[in-house]
Amino acid sequence: MAGTQSETAETDEALAQCIALRVESEQAMQAARSACSRLYQRHARKLLAFLATRVGKSDLEDVHQEVWERVWQHLPRSFHGGNFRAWLYQITRNYLIDRSRRRQMERLEDSRALPETRLRAPEELLIDQERLDALRQCLQALGEPAAGLVQARLAGESYPDICTRLGLKPERAHRLFHHAKEQLQKCVERACV
Amino acid sequence: MKLAAFDIPDDPQQLAEWLEHHLVSLDLGTLVAELSAVHPEATGGVSTLRDLFGPQRLQAVLDQGLTVLQPAELRRLLTRPKLLLELQDLVLFAGGSHWQALSDADARLTPSVLRGEKRLQRFLRSWRPEAGIQPARLGVPWYRQPLFVASATAAAVLLGVLLWQHLVPFGPGGAPRTSVATAAWGWSAPDALPQDLNAPAYLNRLADGANEWFAQRPESAVALADRLSAFRRGCTQLQLAENRPLGDSQRKWLLEKCRLWAAKLDKHLADVEAGRPPLDVRAEADETISRLVAALREEAAKS
């Protein structure tokens, strides 16, 4: 990409620089707001996906908003050029760590600091444990050959390979998988209510 | 509660695309939980993606997506679901335009993004710098402070517009004048097609303009038809514009794309007029426009 002046003006780093200069005049402030919106448009979708594996659904949009407010507030002092995307994810991680510590402290205060309480590591990824446990139990109840078929399908094996390995006819394998899916769906729904 | 992993495609050729879609979406945690329940013993063993693929294959994934992997490699990922979380991090931090386009095209993310954008704009409008970090403003009388001047100018302009609308309620030919808010958006806005930008900036500006589609969510057939018609008009304006920032091959690309988008918009409009449920049509239009935005951004990234 040729490095003309106007092209450089569109890079993340140039937009970040524009935000850093916001206090110089009212025009600079307007340009900074616009630059922040541009950065948001570029990175919000991916940042939401990143956050979705780390915070619960009900908190997702609030946490996302907090991160962008931090971007605006901290950028002039703590972004020193370089890769904006890397900086964005670093301040997101820092925010998640702060948030996690704060919540742990609140929980500890609420529960009078029970020493055996296992606290989640700040960077631990959020996996839907309830769903995992429920599905594990429901699979055990499914029995063979359906459970083996589900395991093979969810490992990306093709029907012809599975049929050869498990000695099933293709129509039966399709029917079995469809039936197993319905059973598991109902079972998990019951377990997670 | 829908089981995400059970939508796995029958055809192994579609596996890469299916997984890519989950990697940029909001439900990867659900998918990983379900796969972990099905493949519990396999979650140990290989500890990192680098162990699994090696640095060169991994870089190819970041540049070109999961289609560079063999079916057996994809299967290894499915049976070590926690590696999908590591892969998501890599893709989001360091993925190329392929992953950006995928993320842009995911219509399910759009409502959250739009709500966030509105909240951010409210925050930015209300934010004021702390007193200690404004050296440029020290000693300036209050009536010459930029904020006061800007507010006074905005108030004067608003008053002028209100007066003009009040005194001149009809447009040329006696037709009722359409309000600025409903007429000027997207590619129809007065500054939507600036001819003095470079190619990537212009294409990104077009993508921003198209994205304004999502700023309103019409639910009735009439409102949806109105919004689709406005977008379609913008499409005509774009086709008839000079598009000077683009070179010949990009201009040709844009015109070809524009014709395809116009045809799709016409179909959505015809569907509304034929009485199809507006929310169904709106969802399809969302998809069309998300893809259109992604195509423009991808082209901008290539420039």
Side-chain angles (χ1 to χ4, degrees):
Chain A
M1 202 190 292
T4 64
Q5 186 61 38
S6 46
E7 275 175 2
T8 340
E10 277 297 307
T11 64
D12 285 352
E13 290 68 36
L15 292 170
Q17 178 66 14
C18 188
I19 295 174
L21 297 174
R22 66 192 174 207
V23 292
E24 290 190 351
S25 66
E26 188 57 31
Q27 286 91 337
M29 179 64 78
Q30 281 172 11
R33 286 189 193 117
S34 162
C36 192
S37 295
R38 288 284 295 133
L39 286 172
Y40 177 92
Q41 285 156 10
R42 283 183 193 174
H43 297 286
R45 289 170 168 269
K46 287 185 289 185
L47 191 58
L48 271 168
F50 175 79
L51 289 170
T53 51
R54 286 162 172 83
V55 299
K57 251 183 208 163
S58 57
D59 292 336
L60 178 63
E61 292 191 12
D62 286 342
V63 169
H64 187 228
Q65 169 75 7
E66 282 285 336
V67 169
W68 282 101
E69 289 183 10
R70 281 190 166 211
V71 166
W72 175 260
Q73 282 162 342
H74 293 254
L75 191 143
R77 269 172 293 151
S78 64
F79 179 66
H80 307 294
N83 184 337
F84 172 80
R85 188 156 38 151
W87 180 81
L88 172 65
Y89 283 95
Q90 193 51 54
I91 72 157
T92 304
R93 282 201 174 101
N94 292 345
Y95 172 71
L96 291 174
I97 290 168
D98 290 350
R99 177 176 179 270
S100 175
R101 284 184 185 145
R102 215 169 38 240
R103 290 164 71 112
Q104 285 172 8
M105 290 306 293
E106 284 165 8
R107 248 178 273 146
L108 281 173
E109 281 164 15
D110 288 350
S111 63
R112 301 270 176 217
L114 291 172
E116 67 275 19
T117 308
R118 184 190 172 270
L119 301 175
R120 248 167 53 127
E123 261 289 79
E124 194 174 318
L125 295 164
L126 181 86
I127 294 189
D128 193 339
Q129 192 63 40
E130 189 186 14
R131 181 183 286 250
L132 191 153
D133 293 339
L135 188 55
R136 207 169 266 169
Q137 283 172 6
C138 295
L139 265 172
Q140 279 173 357
L142 204 57
E144 293 298 342
L149 174 62
V150 165
Q151 196 167 33
R153 285 288 297 117
L154 268 52
E157 269 191 71
S158 67
Y159 272 110
D161 290 349
I162 297 170
C163 290
T164 309
R165 194 161 58 76
L166 298 181
L168 293 169
K169 287 189 174 167
E171 309 81 61
R172 174 139 193 266
H174 278 279
R175 261 203 320 274
L176 258 179
F177 184 70
H178 182 69
H179 187 59
K181 180 179 166 181
E182 282 183 348
Q183 270 187 290
L184 289 171
Q185 177 86 47
K186 282 179 193 158
C187 177
V188 170
E189 274 169 12
R190 273 197 306 271
C192 291
V193 167
Chain B
M1 182 184 288
K2 191 170 172 291
L3 292 173
F6 285 76
D7 287 338
I8 191 166
D10 289 352
D11 181 358
Q13 301 298 321
Q14 293 170 3
L15 200 53
E17 197 183 326
W18 178 78
L19 255 184
E20 282 183 343
H21 176 70
H22 281 290
L23 283 165
V24 296
S25 75
L26 299 179
D27 67 355
L28 185 69
T30 304
L31 179 70
V32 169
E34 292 174 11
L35 290 174
S36 300
V38 177
H39 307 298
E41 73 286 358
T43 49
V46 173
S47 56
T48 67
L49 285 172
R50 210 165 267 264
D51 297 340
L52 195 62
F53 300 131
Q56 285 181 339
R57 304 280 289 154
L58 204 49
Q59 189 56 52
V61 167
L62 294 180
D63 293 339
Q64 298 161 56
L66 293 178
T67 48
V68 301
L69 297 178
Q70 299 294 323
E73 291 176 304
L74 288 171
R75 287 202 292 274
R76 263 180 264 154
L77 265 181
L78 288 171
T79 53
R80 292 162 184 83
K82 285 191 179 160
L83 290 183
L84 288 172
L85 295 169
E86 187 191 338
L87 181 58
Q88 186 196 46
D89 279 8
L90 273 178
V91 158
L92 299 176
F93 297 153
S97 58
H98 171 80
W99 294 100
Q100 179 72 46
L102 269 178
S103 174
D104 287 343
D106 191 335
R108 289 176 311 165
L109 282 165
T110 303
S112 289
V113 172
L114 284 174
R115 278 193 294 273
E117 191 166 12
K118 280 187 185 160
R119 286 177 73 177
L120 179 64
Q121 280 167 0
R122 273 200 303 275
F123 166 78
L124 293 177
R125 277 197 301 271
S126 64
W127 186 87
R128 293 288 172 268
E130 295 153 20
I133 55 167
Q134 307 177 60
R137 293 190 196 169
L138 291 175
V140 179
W142 65 271
Y143 55 87
R144 287 183 57 203
Q145 294 229 352
L147 188 62
F148 174 79
V149 174
S151 306
T153 309
V157 169
L158 182 63
L159 186 64
V161 168
L162 288 173
L163 272 172
W164 179 75
Q165 285 188 333
H166 178 71
L167 295 172
V168 191
F170 296 98
R177 191 182 299 284
T178 316
S179 78
V180 174
T182 56
W185 64 274
W187 294 335
S188 302
D191 59 346
L193 309 173
Q195 300 296 303
D196 56 346
L197 299 176
N198 61 358
Y202 185 66
L203 290 164
N204 274 321
R205 181 71 72 90
L206 294 182
D208 292 345
N211 231 2
E212 286 176 29
W213 159 262
F214 296 100
Q216 282 183 27
R217 312 301 291 150
E219 293 185 353
S220 71
V222 172
L224 179 62
D226 189 40
R227 194 135 180 98
L228 278 167
S229 304
F231 199 101
R232 179 64 181 83
R233 274 197 305 279
C235 209
T236 302
Q237 283 173 328
L238 180 58
Q239 288 182 63
L240 299 177
E242 289 183 78
N243 298 313
R244 280 200 302 266
L246 305 180
D248 284 346
S249 63
Q250 269 188 323
R251 202 174 300 127
K252 195 173 161 213
W253 171 86
L254 182 65
L255 279 178
E256 281 169 8
K257 283 281 179 191
C258 249
R259 285 188 201 110
L260 292 172
W261 297 331
K264 284 195 172 178
L265 291 165
D266 287 340
K267 183 182 175 305
H268 297 320
L269 194 54
D271 284 346
V272 180
E273 288 165 353
R276 278 196 58 205
L279 293 188
D280 289 357
V281 180
R282 194 184 75 186
E284 287 167 15
D286 285 352
E287 189 67 26
T288 299
I289 293 162
S290 293
R291 285 179 190 281
L292 174 163
V293 168
L296 287 166
R297 297 224 193 275
E298 199 167 358
E299 190 63 22
K302 279 191 224 159
S303 301

